Amino acid sequence: GKSFFNLTRENGLLENGVSAITTDRQNRIYIATSEGINIVDNKTVSSLKPDMFTRKKIIKKILKDTQGKLWFLAGNEVFLYNYYEWININNLFKIKPNINAIAQDKYGNIWLSVINEGLYILSKKNNDSY
């Protein structure tokens, strides 16, 4: 809260070009680049390079939902990260890989904009399933 520090490739960032950024429920910072994801925890930088993220599937947005889970819009697909596994939402709900936007409403529903198909709404059924 009193100073800034510059985070670049030279001190741990996978790539200098950042495409998305958010925090998780422990206030770690998730930084998406074309090379993968960096996690910054109290100035300590680590990296996460899941196989599903490649230069063809660059992360465009990271959404932290009301439960603290992270949703990644990469390429035209959405992946949910619940801190122990990656879930491909397109495969799970049989949505064509044409997603171009993701948002959450005040009720916890996840909205997906799908090119040439309109909107998909993943509605909350109970505390943690859609």
Side-chain angles (χ1 to χ4, degrees):
K2 295 182 181 181
S3 64
F4 290 95
F5 72 96
N6 191 17
L7 185 59
T8 65
R9 188 177 192 142
E10 288 74 37
N11 56 6
L13 202 60
L14 288 168
E15 182 66 41
N16 285 337
V18 174
S19 59
I21 188 168
T22 195
T23 59
D24 69 7
R25 53 188 166 199
Q26 283 84 33
N27 289 319
R28 293 177 293 212
I29 302 168
Y30 283 68
I31 302 168
T33 73
S34 62
E35 295 296 321
I37 302 163
N38 282 105
I39 303 167
V40 181
D41 187 5
N42 198 22
K43 292 190 181 180
T44 301
V45 181
S46 60
S47 60
L48 189 61
K49 294 177 86 173
D51 293 339
M52 74 277 288
F53 302 137
T54 64
R55 287 200 172 270
K56 292 181 182 179
K57 281 191 186 173
I58 295 175
I59 299 167
K60 300 175 190 173
K61 181 173 181 171
I62 307 171
L63 170 75
K64 180 173 64 174
D65 68 17
T66 54
Q67 294 180 318
K69 295 177 184 172
L70 300 176
W71 300 70
F72 292 81
L73 174 57
N76 290 332
E77 293 182 275
V78 171
F79 298 87
L80 172 62
Y81 180 56
N82 56 16
Y83 302 98
Y84 60 91
E85 69 178 328
W86 292 89
I87 300 166
N88 184 317
I89 296 301
N90 293 71
N91 291 344
L92 185 64
F93 291 104
K94 297 178 178 34
I95 301 171
K96 290 182 182 177
N98 289 328
I99 298 171
N100 65 350
I102 182 171
Q104 184 176 38
D105 64 25
K106 66 181 181 179
Y107 305 107
N109 301 314
I110 301 292
W111 293 65
L112 305 172
S113 168
V114 182
I115 299 168
N116 295 324
E117 290 193 27
L119 293 170
Y120 282 74
I121 304 169
L122 304 180
S123 299
K124 294 293 278 181
K125 287 189 176 180
N126 58 39
N127 248 358
D128 64 1
S129 67
Y130 289 90

